[in-house]
């Protein structure tokens, strides 16, 4: 029986929310011998004020990682719709599932209800903490700091605050409401509050603002909670490790993960009558409201945090070191060796890069405006820095990145897929598997992945800019600078092998007459046609150069003496075929001369070129006919 496979689609990654749900899904899947494939775009959706969105170029390729999913190989799909920037993507994923008869669930996304949904409720969450302050602490002077004005989450939490005050006949005063942008602006809100008198409590719309508020109040000499109570919202890890520990509301993400897995498992097994689920939040009473006394910190906890800090310090040093080495990297092996050094920090079971094969097989691709768009590469080059049985430099179709993993013997497959982006281009993918999903430092991994994508993109951009500096802009052949660089490289490779070196000089016939009669557009066409013919015949075993307006040069080498006359005849045949099509009203022709030396007899490139050039002019004299053109 084939092992079942679940795919998860999510943008960005939040360690205190989605990560806990996904970890629970994976835990349950492991117990039930089910594969999990996680597709993540690294596009973190921020909390923006009304009317402000991320720039379109940051999100236009978000769905490409989801387009990688092979619906013939999965049995169910889980979507974290709230995390996705472009809402139409949620419905696109649903339609693909319907087309392939695959069940899907939308998680924590009350704005886009699909056929099956698991919602994490915000409605009563803030009510829990405000009612606790009013009912249990008998407070009436309670201030509120939201995120952005008119932000959805802010409005939900503000309405809950007002609802509880109204319920207990406490006036709702606008002076007690401020907006801290979910960040440090909360401190400015507190300063404004204090000018009008010290409130009994400040309720914050997230834990981060609550911590900023407490820091400021402590620095001003206030004691928490003796002088003033401060509460948060979200229940992230900082709420439990901060001093004082933060009274907050926590979503039951682990429980939500179990519910999501149970629902998708039922749907996969053909149970269609599955009800939607809404997960209620829980109130966490801690030191910042006085409901929990201060305990001596656990020694093991302190040790673990120091170890974590030391590991992160090592990680940042490795990041800096890879930045330094990056500027000297000459090839893909050096590049990936240096950028992969920090990976040891993440304790991965496996990791592979898959780079768009076009970047390694074409000289001029990256800056080509026609290719300046998102899209799944048809083929990718596998680069394996760590933990894999695969071999590097394999070129495979993109769809085969999981060819052998889903049904292999042993434990089920748990793979993460992340797109690498650079300037509106999909560079390829990272495919990896953490050893432990609960302790995986995904926030740090995202930082490294962003940085790595920038380095890879910059490397290929720099590589192409260097090539453009060595190329003739009209024909794409090498220019004199390119000829000098690559001839020296060829000579160093050939000299120890004692091979034959051949230099071919080529000149366009009647170019001046073509320019005079048909303009420079006609002349440019003749130049391009001859350049294409030369490259078609000689590029495989040599370098092709445009040395001047109507002059070309080819440098080639081989272990055996080549039949150069036969190759020149092939160039002539290509041009004759072009002329026979009567596309233009002039013949495109050229004259060729060459000189061959055994490498041990080589004296200088200039001397060889001089002899080949002389032979070319002898041929050109035979081609001269006044009546042509």
């Amino acid at each position: 029986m084939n092992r079942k496979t679940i795919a998860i689609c999510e943008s960005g990654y939040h360690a205190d929310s989605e990560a806990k749900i996904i970890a629970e899904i994976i835990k349950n899947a492991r117990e039930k011998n089910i594969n999990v494939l996680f597709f993540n775009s690294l596009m973190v959706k921020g909390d923006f004020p009304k009317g402000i969105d991320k720039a379109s170029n940051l999100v236009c390729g978000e769905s490409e990682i989801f387009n990688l999913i092979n619906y013939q190989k999965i049995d169910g799909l889980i979507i974290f719709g709230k995390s996705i920037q472009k809402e139409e993507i949620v419905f696109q994923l649903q339609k693909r599932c319907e087309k392939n008869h695959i069940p899907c669930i939308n998680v924590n996304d009350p704005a886009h209800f699909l056929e099956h949904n698991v919602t994490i409720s915000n409605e009563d969450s803030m009510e829990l903490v405000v009612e606790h302050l009013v009912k249990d602490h008998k407070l009436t002077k309670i201030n509120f700091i939201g995120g952005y004005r008119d932000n959805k989450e802010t409005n939900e939490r503000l309405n809950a605050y007002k609802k509880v005050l109204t319920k207990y006949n406490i006036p709702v005063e606008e002076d007690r409401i401020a907006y801290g942008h979910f960040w440090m602006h909360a401190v400015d809100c507190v300063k404004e509050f204090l000018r009008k008198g010290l409130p009994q409590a400040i309720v914050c719309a997230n834990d981060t603002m609550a911590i900023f508020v407490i820091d400021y109040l402590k620095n001003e000499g206030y004691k928490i909670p003796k002088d003033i109570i401060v509460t948060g919202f979200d229940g992230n890890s900082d709420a439990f490790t901060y001093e004082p520990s933060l009274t907050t509301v926590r979503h039951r993400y682990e429980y939500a993960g179990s519910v999501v897995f149970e629902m998708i498992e039922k749907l996969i097994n053909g149970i269609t009558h599955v009800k939607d689920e809404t997960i209620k939040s829980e109130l966490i009473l801690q030191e910042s409201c006085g409901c929990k006394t201060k305990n001596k910190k656990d020694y093991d906890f302190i040790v673990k945090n120091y170890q974590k800090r030391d590991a992160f310090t090592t990680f940042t040093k490795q990041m800096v070191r890879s930045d330094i080495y990056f500027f000297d990297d000459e090839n893909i092996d050096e590049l990936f060796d240096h950028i992969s050094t920090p990976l040891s920090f993440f304790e991965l079971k496996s990791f592979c890069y898959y780079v768009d094969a076009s970047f390694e097989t074409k000289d001029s691709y990256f800056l080509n405006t026609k290719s300046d768009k998102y899209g799944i590469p048809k083929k990718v080059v596998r680069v394996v820095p760590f933990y894999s049985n695969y071999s590097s430099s394999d070129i495979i179709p993109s769809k085969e990145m999981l060819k052998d993993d889903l049904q292999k013997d042993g434990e089920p497959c748990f793979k993460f897929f992340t797109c690498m982006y650079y300037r509106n281009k999909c560079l390829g993918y990272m495919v990896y598997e953490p050893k432990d999903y609960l302790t995986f430092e995904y926030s740090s991994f995202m930082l490294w992945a962003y940085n790595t994508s920038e380095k890879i993109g910059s490397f290929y951009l720099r590589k192409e800019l260097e090539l453009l500096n060595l190329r003739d802009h009209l024909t794409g052949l090498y220019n004199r600078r390119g000829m000098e660089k690559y001839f020296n490289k060829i000579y160093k490779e050939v000299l120890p092998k004692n091979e034959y070196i051949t230099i071919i000089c080529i000149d366009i016939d009647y170019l001046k007459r073509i320019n005079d009669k048909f303009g420079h557009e006609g002349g440019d066409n003749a130049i391009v046609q001859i350049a294409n013919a030369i490259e078609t015949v000689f590029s495989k075993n040599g370098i092709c150069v445009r040395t001047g307006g109507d002059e070309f040069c080819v440098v080639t080498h081989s272990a055996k003496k080549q039949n150069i006359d036969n190759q020149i005849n092939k160039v002539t045949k290509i041009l004759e075929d072009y002329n026979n099509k009567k596309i233009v009203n002039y013949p495109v022709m050229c004259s060729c001369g060459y000189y061959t030396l055994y490498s041990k007899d080589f004296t200088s490139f200039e001397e060889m070129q001089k002899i080949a050039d002389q032979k070319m002019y002898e041929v050109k004299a035979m081609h001269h006919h006044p009546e042509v053109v």
Side-chain angles (χ1 to χ4, degrees):
M1 181 177 177
N2 286 341
R3 183 184 290 125
K4 301 294 185 182
T5 299
I6 297 169
I8 299 175
C9 295
E10 193 256 358
S11 290
Y13 198 86
H14 298 278
D16 288 304
S17 52
E18 284 99 334
K20 293 179 179 178
I21 300 174
I22 292 166
E24 195 66 26
I25 292 171
I26 291 173
K27 175 185 173 184
N28 282 271
R30 189 184 294 276
E31 292 173 357
K32 295 294 184 72
N33 194 33
I34 294 175
N35 299 315
V36 177
L37 309 181
F38 179 55
F39 297 86
N40 177 272
S41 72
L42 291 183
M43 297 283 184
V44 179
K45 188 174 182 178
D47 294 307
F48 293 97
K50 189 175 182 180
I52 298 179
D53 296 308
K54 280 192 175 181
S56 59
N57 66 317
L58 292 178
V59 299
C60 61
E62 179 182 45
S63 64
E64 290 308 322
I65 190 67
F66 306 141
N67 291 337
L68 195 64
I69 298 171
N70 185 341
Y71 288 84
Q72 304 302 313
K73 292 191 174 183
I74 67 171
D75 301 281
L77 183 70
I78 298 170
I79 308 169
F80 285 81
K82 185 179 176 181
S83 72
I84 295 174
Q85 305 280 344
K86 297 171 68 176
E87 63 178 23
E88 58 265 32
I89 293 175
V90 175
F91 299 113
Q92 288 172 4
L93 292 169
Q94 180 192 29
K95 287 179 181 178
R96 291 171 190 172
C97 286
E98 290 174 351
K99 182 179 178 180
N100 290 276
H101 307 290
I102 295 169
C104 73
I105 299 173
N106 197 9
V107 180
N108 196 21
D109 184 16
H112 306 101
F113 277 96
L114 305 184
E115 185 178 356
H116 302 288
N117 308 273
V118 173
T119 306
I120 298 174
S121 175
N122 270 325
E123 291 181 3
D124 66 338
S125 302
M126 183 59 79
E127 293 179 34
L128 293 174
V129 69
V130 180
E131 187 154 18
H132 170 69
L133 297 179
V134 174
K135 186 177 179 181
D136 298 328
H137 289 274
K138 312 300 182 186
L139 305 184
T140 58
K141 297 178 180 179
I142 303 171
N143 289 23
F144 175 86
I145 300 179
Y148 291 102
R149 190 184 297 271
D150 293 327
N151 170 271
K152 183 177 182 294
E153 283 76 14
T154 296
N155 286 341
E156 287 177 346
R157 293 163 200 184
L158 176 59
N159 290 336
Y161 161 82
K162 291 179 178 180
K163 180 180 177 181
V164 174
L165 294 187
T166 303
K167 176 181 177 181
Y168 287 92
N169 298 315
I170 299 172
V172 176
E173 303 173 61
E174 291 301 320
D175 286 349
R176 295 192 182 279
I177 299 171
Y179 300 91
H181 301 173
F182 293 112
W183 194 242
M184 289 183 67
H185 188 58
V187 173
D188 296 326
C189 300
V190 174
K191 291 177 182 178
E192 187 63 27
F193 288 158
L194 294 179
R195 289 192 188 99
K196 300 169 184 176
L198 183 68
Q200 294 173 312
I202 298 176
V203 174
C204 297
N206 72 353
D207 292 338
T208 302
M209 290 193 298
I211 289 171
F212 281 128
V213 167
I214 294 175
D215 271 345
Y216 174 76
L217 290 171
K218 287 196 298 186
N219 288 335
E220 292 296 307
Y222 295 99
K223 296 185 186 325
I224 313 297
K226 181 179 179 181
D227 297 328
I228 182 172
I229 288 171
V230 180
T231 64
F233 190 100
D234 287 336
N236 64 35
S237 56
D238 291 337
F240 298 87
T241 58
Y242 183 73
E243 292 188 14
S245 58
L246 196 62
T247 291
T248 185
V249 180
R250 180 173 65 180
H251 293 309
R252 299 160 68 199
Y253 292 116
E254 294 85 352
Y255 175 67
S258 296
V259 170
V260 171
F261 179 81
E262 183 179 348
M263 182 181 289
I264 196 71
E265 186 183 28
K266 286 180 179 178
L267 292 169
I268 288 173
N269 291 329
I271 302 173
T272 55
H273 300 292
V274 178
K275 293 182 179 180
D276 286 357
E277 294 276 357
T278 299
I279 311 300
K280 301 290 186 179
S281 301
E282 60 180 337
L283 177 64
I284 307 297
L285 301 178
Q286 300 199 97
E287 296 166 359
S288 73
C289 75
C291 286
K292 182 178 179 181
T293 57
K294 189 170 183 178
N295 294 321
K296 185 178 179 180
K297 295 295 180 183
D298 182 76
Y299 177 76
D300 289 337
F301 171 81
I302 296 173
V303 170
K304 288 177 182 177
N305 272 271
Y306 270 108
Q307 290 173 341
K308 184 177 179 180
R309 188 195 67 178
D310 289 344
F312 188 76
T313 300
T314 303
F315 166 69
T316 53
K317 288 179 179 178
Q318 291 172 337
M319 289 274 286
V320 171
R321 191 177 297 117
S322 69
D323 285 343
I324 295 171
Y325 288 136
F326 160 71
F327 294 103
D328 294 324
D329 291 336
E330 292 289 336
N331 54 58
I332 191 173
D333 293 325
E334 291 180 0
L335 170 70
F336 284 100
D337 182 53
H338 290 145
I339 64 177
S340 301
T341 303
L343 277 176
S344 57
F345 173 75
F346 299 110
E347 298 185 347
L348 300 169
K349 289 176 76 173
S350 64
F351 185 97
C352 281
Y353 301 99
Y354 291 87
V355 180
D356 187 341
S358 301
F359 300 151
E360 286 297 307
T361 56
K362 292 185 180 181
D363 284 336
S364 184
Y365 176 88
F366 207 75
L367 292 176
N368 183 351
T369 55
K370 291 182 180 179
S371 66
D372 192 19
K373 61 183 180 181
Y374 286 100
I376 295 176
K378 291 183 179 179
K379 292 186 177 182
V380 288
V381 178
R382 181 188 287 126
V383 183
V384 188
F386 295 111
Y387 329 116
S388 178
N389 295 324
Y390 292 126
S391 58
S392 293
S393 302
D394 292 342
I395 297 180
I396 63 170
S398 296
K399 293 291 186 180
E400 293 187 13
M401 285 193 286
L402 260 180
K403 185 176 181 181
D404 301 320
D405 288 349
L406 295 179
Q407 302 303 332
K408 67 181 181 181
D409 295 334
E411 293 185 349
C413 168
F414 298 95
K415 294 284 187 181
F416 282 51
F417 293 79
T418 296
C419 241
M420 298 184 291
Y421 295 118
Y422 182 79
R423 296 193 179 188
N424 289 0
K425 289 190 180 294
C426 175
L427 305 175
Y429 310 93
M430 299 177 186
V431 182
Y432 48 98
E433 183 177 1
K435 288 183 180 178
D436 187 338
Y437 297 92
L438 289 171
T439 61
F440 183 44
E441 290 287 344
Y442 209 95
S443 297
S444 298
F445 183 85
M446 287 176 64
L447 172 66
W448 172 82
Y450 280 124
N451 184 271
T452 296
S453 295
E454 285 291 310
K455 285 193 179 78
I456 295 171
S458 296
F459 171 81
Y460 284 111
L461 182 61
R462 184 182 71 197
K463 180 180 175 182
E464 182 155 343
L465 288 172
E466 289 174 354
L467 283 171
L468 290 174
N469 192 42
L470 303 174
R471 294 280 189 177
D472 170 58
H473 74 280
L474 177 62
T475 64
L477 302 184
Y478 288 107
N479 55 26
R480 285 183 176 273
R481 191 182 292 108
M483 179 176 67
E484 180 179 345
K485 177 178 179 178
Y486 285 95
F487 177 78
N488 291 335
K489 182 179 179 180
I490 288 174
Y491 180 63
K492 288 178 182 178
E493 292 175 355
V494 170
L495 187 62
K497 300 178 184 177
N498 290 324
E499 293 187 354
Y500 289 95
I501 301 175
T502 298
I503 292 182
I504 307 160
C505 290
I506 303 162
D507 196 88
I508 302 175
D509 295 337
Y510 318 116
L511 182 62
K512 186 178 183 307
R513 297 183 195 177
I514 294 172
N515 280 328
D516 291 343
K517 190 171 181 179
F518 298 97
H520 287 287
E521 184 177 342
D524 286 350
N525 176 64
I527 292 169
V528 169
Q529 296 305 324
I530 289 173
N532 290 343
I534 293 169
E535 189 171 34
T536 299
V537 175
F538 292 109
S539 61
K540 186 175 181 180
N541 295 314
I543 63 168
C544 306
V545 184
R546 185 185 179 195
T547 54
D550 60 353
E551 299 171 346
F552 300 87
C553 180
V554 175
V555 182
T556 183
H557 63 93
S558 62
K560 296 181 180 180
K561 198 169 184 178
Q562 300 179 70
N563 188 339
I564 302 299
D565 288 318
N566 184 49
Q567 292 176 297
I568 291 174
N569 288 337
K570 289 181 181 179
V571 172
T572 302
K573 180 67 168 57
I574 292 172
L575 297 178
E576 286 176 350
D577 290 343
Y578 175 78
N579 291 330
N580 290 336
K581 293 176 183 177
K582 303 294 184 181
I583 297 172
V584 293
N585 296 323
Y586 52 85
V588 178
M589 303 169 60
C590 65
S591 301
C592 306
Y594 67 91
Y595 183 59
T596 301
L597 265 181
Y598 201 44
S599 58
K600 66 183 181 66
D601 299 323
F602 177 82
T603 54
S604 72
F605 169 73
E606 290 77 12
E607 186 64 29
M608 289 187 69
Q609 188 179 29
K610 183 178 179 180
I611 296 172
D613 209 41
Q614 182 179 345
K615 292 186 175 184
M616 180 271 294
Y617 277 110
E618 291 174 2
V619 174
K620 194 172 187 69
M622 292 186 289
H623 286 180
H624 183 69
H625 298 289
E627 70 278 5
V628 176
V629 185

